[in-house]
């Protein structure tokens, strides 16, 4: 492996997997990832969006007394968050576009929302899916507007 190949795979991706082919042309490898970027890969698209999460929480509120609601709400928040984190990590491990995914992780970290705030926890995955991923290869201004208007950031 050449120095350029090693730099491309490690600095602009997540490193190499045992089955990875070394890019013959690292610059072309990076350009190909920009061109091939899918903002909604299957693992991410399978997660509920903000409206679905809010609807589930509202249904829990409507159909339960206070104690039952608090218990069910906590379980839903943790489950939704855990599933989103698992999907994100699973996709990062299997993606053929590690540079693009690394950009998603960079911007999601830059525009961080705190899962430690209970009300935000279930929306962390939908925040990344709705405010970061669609704009990561586009204009910064569009991403900034999406981020600042997303309920997870507002909370």
């Amino acid at each position: 492996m050449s120095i350029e190949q090693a730099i491309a795979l490690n600095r602009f991706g997540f490193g190499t997997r045992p089955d990875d082919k070394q890019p013959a042309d690292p610059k072309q490898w990076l350009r190909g990832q920009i061109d091939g970027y899918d903002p909604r890969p299957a693992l991410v698209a399978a997660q509920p969006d903000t409206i679905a999460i809010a609807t589930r929480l509202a249904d829990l509120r409507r159909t339960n007394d206070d104690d039952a609601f608090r218990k069910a709400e906590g379980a839903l928040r943790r489950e939704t968050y855990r599933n989103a984190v698992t999907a994100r990590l699973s996709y990062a491990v299997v993606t053929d576009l590690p540079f693009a995914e690394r950009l998603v992780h960079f911007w999601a970290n830059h525009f961080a929302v705190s899962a430690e705030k209970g009300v935000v926890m279930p929306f962390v995955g939908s925040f990344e899916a709705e405010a970061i991923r669609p704009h990561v290869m586009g204009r910064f201004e569009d991403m900034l507007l999406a981020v600042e208007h997303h309920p997870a950031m507002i909370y």
Side-chain angles (χ1 to χ4, degrees):
M1 176 183 326
S2 75
I3 292 293
E4 284 183 337
Q5 291 170 321
I7 289 172
L9 291 168
N10 290 305
R11 185 174 294 164
F12 300 113
F14 294 112
T16 60
R17 298 178 297 221
D19 61 336
D20 278 345
K21 296 178 195 169
Q22 308 307 319
D25 181 351
K27 289 179 185 176
Q28 188 58 37
W29 177 74
L30 290 171
R31 284 187 198 108
Q33 292 191 48
I34 293 168
D35 295 339
Y37 176 68
D38 176 9
R40 293 199 42 88
L43 285 168
V44 173
Q47 301 305 305
D49 64 11
T50 298
I51 293 172
I53 296 165
T55 300
R56 286 180 66 191
L57 288 167
D59 289 346
L60 286 176
R61 168 53 80 191
R62 213 175 14 261
T63 59
N64 290 285
D65 62 35
D66 285 344
D67 289 337
F69 168 71
R70 278 194 296 279
K71 184 176 179 179
E73 178 194 33
L76 176 62
R77 287 178 179 189
R78 288 185 300 277
E79 176 189 5
T80 305
Y81 176 70
R82 188 173 35 252
N83 290 344
V85 169
T86 300
R88 179 187 209 231
L89 293 175
S90 297
Y91 184 66
V93 169
V94 301
T95 185
D96 291 328
L97 306 170
F99 173 60
E101 192 63 13
R102 189 160 175 165
L103 288 174
V104 170
H105 290 210
F106 171 82
W107 287 113
N109 182 58
H110 181 74
F111 294 115
V113 293
S114 177
E116 292 181 12
K117 295 178 182 171
V119 70
V120 175
M121 182 185 289
F123 300 104
V124 170
S126 64
F127 170 75
E128 183 177 289
E130 296 165 5
I132 304 293
R133 286 184 177 279
H135 306 288
V136 78
M137 296 297 179
R139 293 173 5 127
F140 176 77
E141 178 182 1
D142 295 337
M143 183 188 308
L144 182 60
L145 289 171
V147 163
E148 71 180 18
H149 288 99
H150 194 277
M153 185 62 78
I154 294 170
Y155 288 137

